[in-house]
Amino acid sequence: MNVLVINGHPDLDKSFANAEIIKLLQQSTDWTIAHTADFSGDIAAEQQRLLAADLVVVQFPLYWSTFPAVMKEWIDQVFTYGFAFGPDGSQLKGKKMLFSITAGATAESYSETGFNFMPLENYQRCFEHAFKAAEMDIVDTIVTFEMNAIPEEGGDAEKTIALAHQHTEQIIAAVENAQIG
């Protein structure tokens, strides 16, 4: 199966969780990993990479309850009219995908009384929009909370690395369980 991972972290050198997940995926799979931070503007190449994939994993950390700006820019450039939507678009229709999300905050903070003011599902509608508009088939969403490794913010690097390993195992299992074809 041809799996494409779209990494939406803006700088893996400054990441614990996402850097570990990408490293583990590189060590454990033969999947193609593309980095939105490296996007050079070759829209046709990115679109072709999406078309060639049997399944797309969209990996990113939550930044203010959505994906980082580099991922938004990539989507804005790549999910064009005539490709991802429109009367001659929807070339991604039925393409299997899953979201792989890391969050530094607690799950409880995503509530009407928590720091993030709303349940994660409310925010999720926003970051799913482009993929649903492209008529992609979201087969799973894997979210791991408390992946904060910054001690000054109450984080724990060891715990974050352990959670990254568990998260990676969940991604691999979800891809293996996806019904392709």
Side-chain angles (χ1 to χ4, degrees):
M1 175 179 357
N2 183 4
V3 177
L4 171 63
V5 178
I6 304 294
N7 165 43
H9 196 288
D11 187 352
L12 287 178
D13 290 338
K14 295 180 180 173
S15 169
F16 279 84
N18 285 262
E20 187 71 11
I21 290 166
I22 296 299
K23 179 184 88 174
L24 292 169
L25 289 175
Q26 288 171 328
Q27 292 172 349
S28 306
T29 71
D30 62 353
W31 302 348
T32 300
I33 299 176
H35 305 278
T36 57
D38 296 339
F39 176 53
S40 65
D42 189 344
I43 295 165
E46 295 296 307
Q47 291 174 341
Q48 189 54 48
R49 202 178 347 211
L50 286 165
L51 291 172
D54 297 311
L55 186 141
V56 178
V57 177
V58 178
Q59 167 69 47
F60 62 92
L62 284 177
Y63 277 23
W64 289 106
S65 303
T66 191
F67 39 66
V70 294
M71 176 153 273
K72 173 72 166 90
E73 176 68 16
W74 181 85
I75 291 167
D76 288 348
Q77 295 294 316
V78 176
F79 279 57
T80 59
Y81 182 83
F83 173 72
F85 67 100
D88 298 319
S90 299
Q91 293 181 46
L92 298 173
K93 183 177 184 173
K95 177 86 54 189
K96 305 282 186 200
M97 65 148 315
L98 69 89
F99 285 104
S100 168
I101 303 165
T102 61
T106 64
E108 296 77 29
S109 75
Y110 284 93
S111 67
E112 291 186 18
T113 58
F115 175 79
N116 292 296
F117 308 111
M118 293 186 287
L120 181 63
E121 293 79 26
N122 291 17
Y123 294 107
Q124 190 170 343
R125 285 192 214 133
C126 294
F127 60 72
E128 286 181 349
H129 179 258
F131 302 93
K132 284 189 172 185
E135 301 181 68
M136 295 179 80
D137 180 12
I138 301 169
V139 297
D140 205 348
T141 299
I142 299 164
V143 182
T144 302
F145 296 96
E146 299 184 50
M147 294 185 89
N148 176 8
I150 303 168
E152 299 80 39
E153 296 177 5
D156 180 334
E158 272 187 48
K159 178 182 176 183
T160 299
I161 296 300
L163 288 171
H165 282 253
Q166 292 172 10
H167 187 93
T168 304
E169 290 171 11
Q170 288 180 289
I171 297 167
I172 294 169
V175 168
E176 289 172 353
N177 291 329
Q179 300 297 318
I180 306 296

